[in-house]
Amino acid sequence: DKGHIITNYHVVKNNSDKIMILYDHEEIETKLIAFDDVLDLALLKAKTNAKHYIKFSNKSPQKAQSILVAGFPHAKAVSDDLVITGGIINSLKGAGNNTSMLQIDANINRGNSGGPIVDKNSGNLVAVATMKLIGKDASIDNINFGIKSSQVRDFLEANNLKVTIKNNKFNISDLESSTVFIYCK
């Protein structure tokens, strides 16, 4: 609620001079204040006070847990409307047995990077979308990864930010209001 934004470091890494967000139909400049290249997380700060933000759960993710992924696939080339896809958590490990990640079957495309993966029922953060497996074999489909919310929480706390853990009534409009389009100029 103080203008802090989490995204993937790979989204802003090469253009960290002028990082912008589109929030409430307004372009707002942000500042990169922290990053973790290994986790692929970046913390941005914008001069805005958001009314809605995604809260953390005190529960660990579970296999077969229903989730929603929000983002702007293909950087608005398809639409400027936030796209929400659904699916489940398939594995509690990422590629190479990476325990800081989880695997989901909900689509992640270019433009979803850094977007929230939330529990379908509570709206609490489960992970941050980071990548999809792409291979030469056309049979590879829907193998997508997110950085677990516990890793995001550790990253925020290491950068002196308090994390809100709360169960609340979830409205899809809250997810839409708290997911911003990030681009570099």
Side-chain angles (χ1 to χ4, degrees), residues 72-153:
F72 297 92
H74 302 285
K76 294 188 180 183
V78 175
S79 171
D80 66 355
D81 190 25
L82 180 70
V83 175
I84 299 171
T85 58
I88 63 167
I89 296 173
N90 301 104
S91 174
L92 299 178
K93 295 180 182 179
N97 288 322
N98 184 343
T99 58
S100 67
M101 297 178 134
L102 48 77
Q103 180 185 330
I104 63 171
D105 65 357
N107 270 339
I108 292 178
N109 293 298
R110 278 196 131 110
N112 281 105
S113 292
I117 301 172
V118 301
D119 179 82
K120 186 176 182 177
N121 298 315
S122 70
N124 290 331
L125 188 71
V126 172
V128 172
T130 190
M131 66 181 176
K132 76 183 295 173
L133 186 63
I134 299 173
K136 295 176 185 177
D137 183 354
S139 67
I140 294 177
D141 194 23
N142 285 337
I143 300 176
N144 307 284
F145 302 98
I147 303 158
K148 290 178 183 175
S149 62
S150 59
Q151 298 295 307
V152 177
R153 184 174 45 238

Coordinates of all heavy atoms in Angstrom, one line a residue, residues 72-153:
F72 N -0.1 -9.6 -18.5 CA -0.3 -9.0 -19.8 C 0.5 -9.8 -20.9 O 1.6 -9.3 -21.3 CB 0.1 -7.5 -19.8 CG -0.7 -6.7 -18.8 CD1 -0.3 -6.6 -17.5 CD2 -1.9 -6.2 -19.2 CE1 -1.0 -5.8 -16.6 CE2 -2.7 -5.4 -18.3 CZ -2.2 -5.3 -17.0
P73 N 0.0 -10.9 -21.3 CA 0.8 -11.8 -22.3 C 1.1 -11.0 -23.6 O 0.2 -10.3 -24.1 CB -0.1 -13.0 -22.5 CG -1.4 -12.7 -21.9 CD -1.3 -11.5 -21.0
H74 N 2.3 -11.1 -24.0 CA 2.8 -10.5 -25.2 C 2.7 -9.0 -25.1 O 2.5 -8.3 -26.1 CB 2.1 -11.1 -26.5 CG 2.2 -12.5 -26.6 ND1 3.4 -13.1 -27.0 CD2 1.4 -13.6 -26.3 CE1 3.3 -14.4 -26.9 NE2 2.1 -14.7 -26.5
A75 N 2.9 -8.5 -23.9 CA 3.0 -7.0 -23.6 C 1.9 -6.2 -24.3 O 2.2 -5.3 -25.1 CB 4.4 -6.5 -24.0
K76 N 0.7 -6.6 -24.2 CA -0.5 -5.8 -24.7 C -0.6 -6.0 -26.2 O -1.5 -5.3 -26.8 CB -0.4 -4.4 -24.3 CG -0.6 -4.1 -22.9 CD -0.7 -2.6 -22.7 CE -0.9 -2.2 -21.3 NZ -1.1 -0.7 -21.2
A77 N 0.2 -6.8 -26.9 CA 0.0 -7.0 -28.3 C -1.3 -7.6 -28.6 O -1.9 -7.4 -29.7 CB 1.1 -7.8 -28.9
V78 N -1.8 -8.4 -27.7 CA -3.1 -9.0 -27.9 C -4.3 -8.1 -27.4 O -5.3 -8.0 -28.0 CB -3.2 -10.4 -27.2 CG1 -4.5 -11.0 -27.2 CG2 -2.1 -11.3 -27.7
S79 N -4.1 -7.6 -26.2 CA -5.1 -6.7 -25.6 C -4.5 -5.9 -24.4 O -3.5 -6.4 -23.8 CB -6.2 -7.6 -25.0 OG -7.1 -6.9 -24.2
D80 N -5.1 -4.8 -24.1 CA -4.6 -4.0 -23.0 C -5.3 -4.4 -21.7 O -5.1 -3.8 -20.7 CB -4.7 -2.5 -23.2 CG -6.1 -2.0 -23.4 OD1 -7.0 -2.8 -23.4 OD2 -6.2 -0.8 -23.5
D81 N -6.2 -5.4 -21.8 CA -6.9 -5.9 -20.7 C -6.1 -6.9 -19.9 O -5.5 -7.8 -20.6 CB -8.3 -6.5 -21.1 CG -9.2 -6.8 -20.0 OD1 -9.1 -6.1 -18.9 OD2 -10.1 -7.7 -20.2
L82 N -6.1 -6.9 -18.6 CA -5.4 -7.9 -17.8 C -6.0 -9.3 -18.2 O -7.2 -9.5 -18.2 CB -5.6 -7.6 -16.3 CG -4.9 -8.6 -15.4 CD1 -3.4 -8.4 -15.4 CD2 -5.4 -8.4 -14.0
V83 N -5.1 -10.2 -18.4 CA -5.5 -11.6 -18.8 C -5.3 -12.5 -17.6 O -4.2 -12.5 -16.9 CB -4.7 -12.1 -20.0 CG1 -5.0 -13.6 -20.3 CG2 -5.0 -11.3 -21.2
I84 N -6.3 -13.2 -17.2 CA -6.3 -14.1 -16.1 C -6.5 -15.5 -16.6 O -7.5 -15.8 -17.2 CB -7.3 -13.7 -15.0 CG1 -7.0 -12.3 -14.5 CG2 -7.3 -14.7 -13.8 CD1 -8.1 -11.8 -13.6
T85 N -5.6 -16.4 -16.2 CA -5.7 -17.8 -16.6 C -5.8 -18.6 -15.3 O -5.3 -18.2 -14.3 CB -4.6 -18.3 -17.5 OG1 -3.3 -18.2 -16.8 CG2 -4.5 -17.6 -18.8
G86 N -6.3 -19.8 -15.4 CA -6.4 -20.7 -14.2 C -5.8 -22.0 -14.4 O -5.5 -22.5 -15.6
G87 N -5.5 -22.7 -13.3 CA -4.9 -24.0 -13.4 C -4.7 -24.5 -12.0 O -5.3 -24.1 -11.0
I88 N -3.7 -25.4 -11.9 CA -3.3 -26.0 -10.6 C -1.8 -26.0 -10.5 O -1.1 -25.9 -11.4 CB -3.9 -27.4 -10.4 CG1 -3.3 -28.4 -11.4 CG2 -5.4 -27.4 -10.4 CD1 -3.5 -29.9 -11.2
I89 N -1.4 -26.2 -9.2 CA 0.0 -26.4 -9.0 C 0.3 -27.9 -9.3 O -0.3 -28.8 -8.7 CB 0.4 -26.1 -7.5 CG1 0.2 -24.6 -7.2 CG2 1.8 -26.5 -7.2 CD1 0.3 -24.2 -5.8
N90 N 1.3 -28.2 -10.1 CA 1.6 -29.5 -10.5 C 2.7 -30.1 -9.7 O 2.8 -31.3 -9.5 CB 2.1 -29.6 -12.0 CG 1.0 -29.1 -12.9 OD1 1.1 -27.9 -13.4 ND2 -0.1 -29.8 -13.1
S91 N 3.7 -29.3 -9.3 CA 4.8 -29.7 -8.5 C 5.3 -28.6 -7.6 O 5.2 -27.5 -8.0 CB 6.0 -30.2 -9.5 OG 7.1 -30.5 -8.8
L92 N 5.9 -29.0 -6.5 CA 6.4 -28.0 -5.6 C 7.9 -27.8 -5.8 O 8.6 -27.2 -5.0 CB 6.2 -28.5 -4.1 CG 4.7 -28.7 -3.7 CD1 4.6 -29.2 -2.3 CD2 4.0 -27.4 -3.9
K93 N 8.4 -28.2 -7.0 CA 9.8 -28.0 -7.4 C 9.8 -27.5 -8.8 O 9.0 -27.9 -9.6 CB 10.6 -29.2 -7.3 CG 10.8 -29.8 -5.9 CD 11.7 -31.0 -5.9 CE 11.8 -31.6 -4.5 NZ 12.6 -32.8 -4.5
G94 N 10.8 -26.6 -9.1 CA 11.0 -26.2 -10.5 C 12.0 -27.0 -11.2 O 12.4 -28.1 -10.8
A95 N 12.5 -26.5 -12.4 CA 13.4 -27.2 -13.2 C 14.7 -27.5 -12.4 O 15.1 -26.6 -11.6 CB 13.7 -26.4 -14.4
G96 N 15.3 -28.6 -12.6 CA 16.5 -29.0 -11.8 C 16.2 -29.2 -10.4 O 17.2 -29.0 -9.6
N97 N 15.0 -29.5 -9.9 CA 14.7 -29.7 -8.5 C 14.8 -28.4 -7.7 O 15.1 -28.5 -6.5 CB 15.5 -30.9 -7.9 CG 15.0 -32.2 -8.4 OD1 13.9 -32.4 -8.6 ND2 16.0 -33.1 -8.6
N98 N 14.7 -27.3 -8.3 CA 14.8 -26.0 -7.7 C 13.6 -25.8 -6.7 O 12.4 -25.7 -7.1 CB 14.8 -24.9 -8.7 CG 14.9 -23.5 -8.1 OD1 14.8 -23.3 -6.9 ND2 15.3 -22.6 -9.0
T99 N 13.9 -25.9 -5.4 CA 12.8 -25.8 -4.4 C 12.3 -24.4 -4.1 O 11.4 -24.2 -3.4 CB 13.3 -26.4 -3.1 OG1 14.5 -25.7 -2.6 CG2 13.6 -27.9 -3.2
S100 N 13.0 -23.4 -4.7 CA 12.4 -22.0 -4.6 C 11.3 -21.7 -5.6 O 10.7 -20.7 -5.5 CB 13.6 -21.0 -4.8 OG 14.0 -21.0 -6.1
M101 N 11.1 -22.7 -6.5 CA 10.0 -22.6 -7.5 C 9.0 -23.6 -7.4 O 9.2 -24.6 -6.7 CB 10.6 -22.6 -8.9 CG 11.6 -21.6 -9.2 SD 12.2 -21.8 -10.9 CE 12.1 -20.2 -11.5
L102 N 7.9 -23.4 -8.1 CA 6.9 -24.4 -8.2 C 6.5 -24.5 -9.7 O 6.7 -23.6 -10.4 CB 5.7 -24.2 -7.3 CG 5.0 -22.8 -7.2 CD1 4.1 -22.6 -8.4 CD2 4.2 -22.8 -5.9
Q103 N 5.9 -25.6 -10.1 CA 5.4 -25.8 -11.5 C 3.9 -25.7 -11.5 O 3.2 -26.3 -10.7 CB 5.9 -27.1 -12.0 CG 5.5 -27.4 -13.4 CD 5.9 -28.8 -13.9 OE1 6.9 -29.4 -13.4 NE2 5.1 -29.3 -14.8
I104 N 3.4 -25.0 -12.5 CA 1.9 -24.9 -12.7 C 1.5 -25.2 -14.1 O 2.4 -25.3 -15.0 CB 1.4 -23.5 -12.4 CG1 2.1 -22.4 -13.3 CG2 1.7 -23.1 -10.9 CD1 1.5 -21.0 -13.2
D105 N 0.3 -25.5 -14.3 CA -0.2 -25.8 -15.7 C -0.9 -24.7 -16.3 O -1.3 -24.7 -17.5 CB -1.0 -27.1 -15.8 CG -2.4 -27.0 -15.0 OD1 -2.6 -25.9 -14.4 OD2 -3.1 -28.0 -15.1
A106 N -1.2 -23.6 -15.6 CA -1.8 -22.4 -16.2 C -0.8 -21.7 -17.1 O 0.4 -21.7 -16.8 CB -2.2 -21.4 -15.1
N107 N -1.2 -21.2 -18.2 CA -0.3 -20.6 -19.2 C 0.4 -19.4 -18.7 O -0.1 -18.6 -18.0 CB -1.1 -20.2 -20.4 CG -1.2 -21.2 -21.5 OD1 -0.4 -22.2 -21.5 ND2 -2.2 -21.1 -22.4
I108 N 1.7 -19.4 -19.0 CA 2.6 -18.2 -18.8 C 3.2 -17.9 -20.1 O 3.8 -18.8 -20.7 CB 3.7 -18.5 -17.7 CG1 3.1 -18.7 -16.3 CG2 4.7 -17.4 -17.7 CD1 4.1 -19.0 -15.2
N109 N 3.0 -16.7 -20.6 CA 3.6 -16.3 -21.9 C 4.4 -15.1 -21.6 O 4.4 -14.5 -20.5 CB 2.5 -16.0 -22.9 CG 1.7 -17.2 -23.3 OD1 2.2 -18.1 -23.8 ND2 0.4 -17.2 -23.0
R110 N 5.1 -14.6 -22.7 CA 5.8 -13.3 -22.6 C 4.9 -12.3 -22.1 O 3.8 -12.2 -22.7 CB 6.4 -13.0 -23.9 CG 7.6 -13.6 -24.3 CD 8.2 -12.8 -25.5 NE 9.6 -12.6 -25.1 CZ 10.6 -13.1 -25.6 NH1 10.6 -13.8 -26.5 NH2 11.8 -13.0 -25.3
G111 N 5.2 -11.5 -21.2 CA 4.3 -10.5 -20.6 C 3.7 -10.9 -19.3 O 3.2 -10.1 -18.6
N112 N 3.7 -12.2 -19.0 CA 3.2 -12.7 -17.7 C 4.3 -12.6 -16.7 O 4.1 -12.7 -15.5 CB 2.7 -14.1 -17.8 CG 1.4 -14.3 -18.4 OD1 1.2 -14.7 -19.5 ND2 0.3 -13.9 -17.6
S113 N 5.6 -12.5 -17.1 CA 6.7 -12.5 -16.2 C 6.5 -11.4 -15.1 O 6.2 -10.3 -15.4 CB 8.0 -12.2 -16.9 OG 8.3 -13.3 -17.7
G114 N 6.7 -11.8 -13.8 CA 6.6 -10.9 -12.7 C 5.2 -10.7 -12.2 O 4.9 -10.1 -11.2
G115 N 4.2 -11.4 -12.9 CA 2.8 -11.3 -12.5 C 2.5 -12.2 -11.3 O 3.2 -13.2 -11.1
P116 N 1.4 -12.0 -10.7 CA 1.0 -12.8 -9.5 C 0.4 -14.1 -9.9 O -0.4 -14.2 -10.9 CB 0.0 -11.9 -8.8 CG -0.6 -11.1 -9.8 CD 0.5 -10.8 -10.8
I117 N 0.7 -15.1 -9.1 CA 0.0 -16.4 -9.1 C -0.6 -16.5 -7.7 O 0.0 -16.5 -6.7 CB 1.0 -17.6 -9.3 CG1 1.7 -17.5 -10.6 CG2 0.2 -18.9 -9.2 CD1 2.9 -18.5 -10.8
V118 N -2.0 -16.5 -7.7 CA -2.7 -16.4 -6.5 C -3.6 -17.7 -6.3 O -4.0 -18.3 -7.2 CB -3.6 -15.1 -6.3 CG1 -2.7 -13.9 -6.4 CG2 -4.7 -15.1 -7.4
D119 N -3.9 -17.9 -5.0 CA -4.8 -19.0 -4.7 C -6.2 -18.6 -5.2 O -6.7 -17.5 -5.0 CB -4.9 -19.2 -3.2 CG -5.9 -20.3 -2.8 OD1 -5.5 -21.5 -2.8 OD2 -7.0 -19.9 -2.4
K120 N -6.9 -19.5 -5.9 CA -8.2 -19.2 -6.6 C -9.2 -18.8 -5.5 O -10.1 -18.0 -5.8 CB -8.6 -20.4 -7.4 CG -9.9 -20.1 -8.2 CD -10.2 -21.3 -9.1 CE -11.4 -21.0 -9.9 NZ -11.7 -22.1 -10.8
N121 N -9.2 -19.4 -4.4 CA -10.2 -19.1 -3.4 C -10.0 -17.9 -2.5 O -10.8 -17.1 -2.2 CB -10.5 -20.3 -2.5 CG -11.0 -21.5 -3.3 OD1 -11.8 -21.4 -4.2 ND2 -10.3 -22.7 -3.1
S122 N -8.7 -17.7 -2.0 CA -8.4 -16.7 -1.1 C -7.8 -15.4 -1.8 O -7.9 -14.3 -1.2 CB -7.4 -17.2 0.0 OG -6.1 -17.4 -0.6
G123 N -7.2 -15.6 -2.9 CA -6.6 -14.5 -3.6 C -5.2 -14.2 -3.1 O -4.6 -13.2 -3.5
N124 N -4.7 -14.9 -2.1 CA -3.4 -14.7 -1.5 C -2.3 -15.2 -2.5 O -2.5 -16.1 -3.2 CB -3.3 -15.5 -0.2 CG -4.1 -14.9 0.9 OD1 -4.4 -13.7 0.9 ND2 -4.6 -15.7 1.8
L125 N -1.2 -14.5 -2.4 CA 0.0 -14.8 -3.3 C 0.5 -16.3 -3.0 O 0.8 -16.6 -1.9 CB 1.1 -13.8 -3.1 CG 2.2 -13.9 -4.1 CD1 1.8 -13.5 -5.4 CD2 3.4 -13.1 -3.6
V126 N 0.6 -17.0 -4.1 CA 1.2 -18.4 -4.0 C 2.6 -18.3 -4.6 O 3.5 -18.9 -4.1 CB 0.3 -19.4 -4.8 CG1 1.0 -20.7 -5.0 CG2 -1.0 -19.5 -4.2
A127 N 2.8 -17.5 -5.7 CA 4.1 -17.4 -6.4 C 4.1 -16.2 -7.3 O 3.0 -15.6 -7.5 CB 4.3 -18.7 -7.2
V128 N 5.2 -15.9 -7.9 CA 5.4 -14.9 -8.9 C 5.8 -15.6 -10.2 O 6.7 -16.4 -10.3 CB 6.4 -13.9 -8.5 CG1 6.7 -12.9 -9.7 CG2 6.0 -13.1 -7.3
A129 N 5.0 -15.4 -11.3 CA 5.2 -16.0 -12.6 C 6.6 -15.7 -13.1 O 7.0 -14.5 -13.0 CB 4.2 -15.6 -13.6
T130 N 7.4 -16.7 -13.6 CA 8.7 -16.4 -14.0 C 9.1 -16.9 -15.4 O 9.8 -16.2 -16.2 CB 9.8 -16.8 -13.0 OG1 11.0 -16.3 -13.4 CG2 9.9 -18.3 -12.8
M131 N 8.7 -18.1 -15.7 CA 9.1 -18.7 -17.0 C 8.3 -19.9 -17.4 O 7.6 -20.5 -16.6 CB 10.6 -19.0 -17.0 CG 10.9 -20.2 -16.1 SD 12.7 -20.5 -16.2 CE 12.8 -21.7 -15.0
K132 N 8.4 -20.2 -18.7 CA 7.8 -21.5 -19.2 C 8.9 -22.3 -19.9 O 9.8 -21.7 -20.4 CB 6.6 -21.2 -20.1 CG 7.0 -20.7 -21.5 CD 5.8 -20.3 -22.4 CE 5.0 -21.5 -22.7 NZ 3.8 -21.2 -23.4
L133 N 8.7 -23.6 -19.9 CA 9.6 -24.5 -20.6 C 9.3 -24.5 -22.0 O 8.2 -24.7 -22.4 CB 9.5 -25.9 -20.0 CG 10.5 -26.9 -20.5 CD1 11.9 -26.5 -20.1 CD2 10.2 -28.3 -19.9
I134 N 10.3 -24.2 -22.8 CA 10.2 -24.2 -24.3 C 11.2 -25.1 -24.8 O 12.4 -25.0 -24.4 CB 10.4 -22.8 -24.9 CG1 9.3 -21.8 -24.3 CG2 10.3 -22.8 -26.4 CD1 9.5 -20.4 -24.7
G135 N 10.8 -26.0 -25.7 CA 11.8 -27.0 -26.3 C 11.5 -27.2 -27.7 O 10.6 -26.7 -28.3
K136 N 12.4 -27.9 -28.3 CA 12.3 -28.2 -29.7 C 11.2 -29.2 -30.0 O 10.6 -29.2 -31.1 CB 13.6 -28.8 -30.3 CG 14.8 -27.8 -30.2 CD 16.1 -28.5 -30.6 CE 17.2 -27.5 -30.4 NZ 18.5 -28.1 -30.7
D137 N 10.8 -30.0 -29.0 CA 9.8 -31.0 -29.1 C 8.4 -30.3 -28.9 O 8.1 -29.6 -27.9 CB 9.9 -32.0 -28.0 CG 8.9 -33.1 -28.0 OD1 8.0 -33.0 -28.9 OD2 9.0 -34.1 -27.3
A138 N 7.6 -30.3 -30.0 CA 6.3 -29.7 -30.0 C 5.3 -30.2 -28.9 O 4.3 -29.6 -28.6 CB 5.6 -29.8 -31.3
S139 N 5.7 -31.4 -28.3 CA 4.8 -32.0 -27.3 C 4.9 -31.3 -25.9 O 4.1 -31.5 -25.1 CB 5.1 -33.5 -27.2 OG 6.3 -33.7 -26.6
I140 N 5.9 -30.4 -25.7 CA 6.1 -29.7 -24.5 C 5.0 -28.7 -24.4 O 4.8 -27.8 -25.3 CB 7.4 -29.0 -24.4 CG1 8.5 -30.1 -24.3 CG2 7.5 -28.1 -23.1 CD1 9.9 -29.5 -24.2
D141 N 4.1 -28.8 -23.4 CA 3.0 -27.9 -23.3 C 2.6 -27.6 -21.8 O 2.6 -28.6 -21.0 CB 1.8 -28.5 -24.0 CG 0.7 -27.5 -24.3 OD1 1.0 -26.3 -24.3 OD2 -0.5 -27.9 -24.4
N142 N 2.4 -26.4 -21.5 CA 1.9 -26.0 -20.1 C 2.9 -26.5 -19.0 O 2.4 -26.9 -18.0 CB 0.5 -26.5 -19.9 CG -0.5 -25.6 -20.6 OD1 -0.2 -24.5 -21.0 ND2 -1.6 -26.2 -20.9
I143 N 4.2 -26.3 -19.2 CA 5.1 -26.5 -18.1 C 5.6 -25.1 -17.8 O 6.5 -24.6 -18.5 CB 6.2 -27.5 -18.5 CG1 5.6 -28.9 -18.9 CG2 7.2 -27.7 -17.4 CD1 6.6 -29.9 -19.4
N144 N 5.1 -24.6 -16.7 CA 5.3 -23.2 -16.4 C 5.8 -23.1 -14.9 O 5.4 -23.9 -14.1 CB 4.1 -22.4 -16.6 CG 3.5 -22.5 -18.0 OD1 4.0 -22.0 -18.9 ND2 2.5 -23.3 -18.2
F145 N 6.5 -22.0 -14.6 CA 7.1 -22.0 -13.3 C 6.9 -20.6 -12.6 O 6.7 -19.6 -13.3 CB 8.6 -22.2 -13.4 CG 9.0 -23.5 -14.0 CD1 9.3 -23.6 -15.3 CD2 8.9 -24.7 -13.2 CE1 9.6 -24.9 -15.9 CE2 9.2 -25.9 -13.7 CZ 9.6 -26.0 -15.1
G146 N 6.8 -20.7 -11.3 CA 6.7 -19.5 -10.5 C 7.6 -19.5 -9.3 O 8.0 -20.6 -8.8
I147 N 8.0 -18.4 -8.8 CA 8.9 -18.3 -7.6 C 7.9 -18.3 -6.4 O 7.0 -17.5 -6.3 CB 9.7 -17.0 -7.6 CG1 10.5 -16.9 -8.9 CG2 10.6 -16.9 -6.4 CD1 10.9 -15.5 -9.3
K148 N 8.2 -19.2 -5.5 CA 7.3 -19.4 -4.4 C 7.2 -18.1 -3.5 O 8.1 -17.4 -3.3 CB 7.8 -20.5 -3.4 CG 7.6 -21.9 -4.0 CD 8.2 -22.9 -3.1 CE 8.1 -24.3 -3.7 NZ 8.7 -25.3 -2.8
S149 N 6.0 -17.9 -3.0 CA 5.7 -16.7 -2.2 C 6.6 -16.6 -0.9 O 7.0 -15.6 -0.5 CB 4.2 -16.6 -1.8 OG 3.9 -17.7 -1.0
S150 N 7.0 -17.8 -0.4 CA 7.9 -17.8 0.7 C 9.3 -17.1 0.4 O 9.9 -16.4 1.2 CB 8.2 -19.2 1.3 OG 8.7 -20.0 0.3
Q151 N 9.7 -17.4 -0.9 CA 11.0 -16.7 -1.3 C 10.8 -15.2 -1.5 O 11.7 -14.4 -1.2 CB 11.4 -17.4 -2.7 CG 11.7 -18.8 -2.6 CD 12.9 -19.1 -1.7 OE1 14.0 -18.6 -1.9 NE2 12.7 -20.0 -0.7
V152 N 9.6 -14.9 -2.0 CA 9.3 -13.4 -2.2 C 9.2 -12.7 -0.9 O 9.8 -11.6 -0.7 CB 7.9 -13.3 -3.0 CG1 7.6 -11.8 -3.1 CG2 8.0 -13.9 -4.3
R153 N 8.6 -13.4 0.1 CA 8.5 -12.8 1.5 C 9.9 -12.7 2.1 O 10.2 -11.6 2.6 CB 7.7 -13.8 2.4 CG 7.4 -13.2 3.8 CD 6.5 -14.0 4.6 NE 6.7 -15.5 4.5 CZ 5.8 -16.3 4.1 NH1 4.6 -16.0 3.8 NH2 6.1 -17.6 4.1

